[in-house]
Amino acid sequence: QVQLVEAGGGLVQPGGSLRLSCAASGSIFSIASMGWYRQAPGYARELVAAITSGGNTNYAGSAKGRFTISRDNAKNTLYLQMNSLKPEDTAVYYCNIYPPSNHWGQGTQVTVSL
């Protein structure tokens, strides 16, 4: 079982950038595919980006070209670099394995607004 702690969210203007991190405890991290997910009020949680243990990545269409997922297996840490942020990116962002388990962290709030 993996414990997940997300950080790095905040308030940013449209067009701005944020870098999220996810500290994961558990020996499974280095061999598991990982993903960033987000949930906005009134919306279902959705996958934003995923990365395999070997570093291959996939992105939701809304994130492609703007977001970059990466991982540091030595630090058991997952990252999401978010550029060119839009108001519709506003959500609570979570990390989890991919496909996700039902063990979610607290998430980190990202708000994109003037």
Side-chain angles (χ1 to χ4, degrees), residues 79-92:
Y79 302 96
L80 185 67
Q81 178 67 47
M82 304 188 295
N83 300 323
S84 302
L85 283 161
K86 304 174 180 179
E88 49 263 48
D89 295 318
T90 296
V92 178

Side-chain angles (χ1 to χ4, degrees), residues 20-24 29 70-79:
L20 308 184
S21 64
C22 168
F29 180 85
S70 61
R71 66 195 296 162
D72 186 336
N73 289 341
K75 296 181 179 178
N76 281 4
T77 303
L78 184 72
Y79 302 96

